[in-house]
Amino acid sequence: DAGVIQSPRHEVTEMGQEVTLRCKPISGHNSLFWYRQTMMRGLELLIYFNNNVPIDDSGMPEDRFSAKMPNASFSTLKIQPSEPRDSAVYFCASSHPESYAEAFFGQGTRLTVV
Amino acid sequence: AQKVTQAQTEISVVEKEDVTLDCVYETRDTTYYLFWYKQPPSGELVFLIRRNSFDEQNEISGRYSWNFQKSTSSFNFTITASQVVDSAVYFCALNSGGGADGLTFGKGTHLIIQP
């Protein structure tokens, strides 16, 4: 199993630009999560999907952030326009109904907004 | 609301010493899951253990052991005979949505094992 795949691994962009982070969950997993990790706030849940449907986006910091899951094997997290305070590591994770809440994490995308 | 507290921001010990990482949680749910994840310097999150709220048996896996006590809402992690490769940030996490929702993480404990 290839695990959760995120792309890109690193992204450097200028303030004001649109940024799109991508995630491919593990095949057969029906829950997908986006987390953000910063020094100040630690690991925070931004949004999660069950069966491709967004369930809770209360962790999304602002309207500049949006996430989609058009099918069971792909999700995106978009920031438009990006700001320096969005700099963080963004993790995608997926889980299976029978995994008892164990989330399998991708390698993360390190985003730097200059 | 759920909350996970890891009061130890950083711990430094000399190799071969035993070390315990503390985790205290808060939840109103009676069914929940507790986790420990390891984040080495390379940055990935590595799953270590899951424990459900109905199973208070302590668990041992090699040099790692976990002590779950519902009476004190704690889920502590002990590394015996620590090694330099154990150096990492360790996160305790809580899920009380039956697995369908996400994890609430503590702020993490940075463990430094000195040779």
Side-chain angles (χ1 to χ4, degrees), chain A residues 24-106:
Chain A
K24 177 179 168 55
I26 294 172
S27 177
H29 285 195
N30 71 333
S31 294
L32 183 139
F33 310 86
W34 283 100
Y35 291 87
R36 178 173 69 174
Q37 184 177 29
T38 60
M39 288 295 294
M40 290 298 296
R41 301 176 67 88
L43 276 156
E44 305 173 278
L45 177 65
L46 300 178
I47 184 172
Y48 69 92
F49 297 81
N50 284 338
N51 297 315
N52 311 339
V53 177
I55 302 301
D56 185 353
D57 66 354
S58 60
M60 297 284 260
E62 299 172 33
D63 291 345
R64 298 183 295 105
F65 286 69
S66 62
K68 294 183 179 179
M69 192 165 187
N71 56 62
S73 59
F74 184 65
S75 176
T76 59
L77 178 67
K78 185 178 293 187
I79 308 172
Q80 165 65 18
S82 58
E83 296 183 3
R85 59 194 167 121
D86 301 331
S87 297
V89 179
Y90 291 81
F91 285 100
C92 176
S94 67
S95 70
H96 185 277
E98 296 181 6
S99 67
Y100 299 100
E102 178 186 343
F104 296 78
F105 284 81

Side-chain angles (χ1 to χ4, degrees), chain B residues 52-85:
Chain B
N52 76 54
S53 53
F54 298 108
D55 182 2
E56 288 193 70
Q57 280 191 334
N58 291 331
E59 183 157 339
I60 298 174
S61 176
R63 297 182 298 105
Y64 295 172
S65 63
W66 291 269
N67 184 344
F68 176 32
Q69 292 196 343
K70 289 180 76 172
S71 60
T72 56
S73 297
S74 65
F75 187 43
N76 296 337
F77 173 32
T78 297
I79 301 175
T80 302
S82 60
Q83 300 177 0
V84 173
V85 293

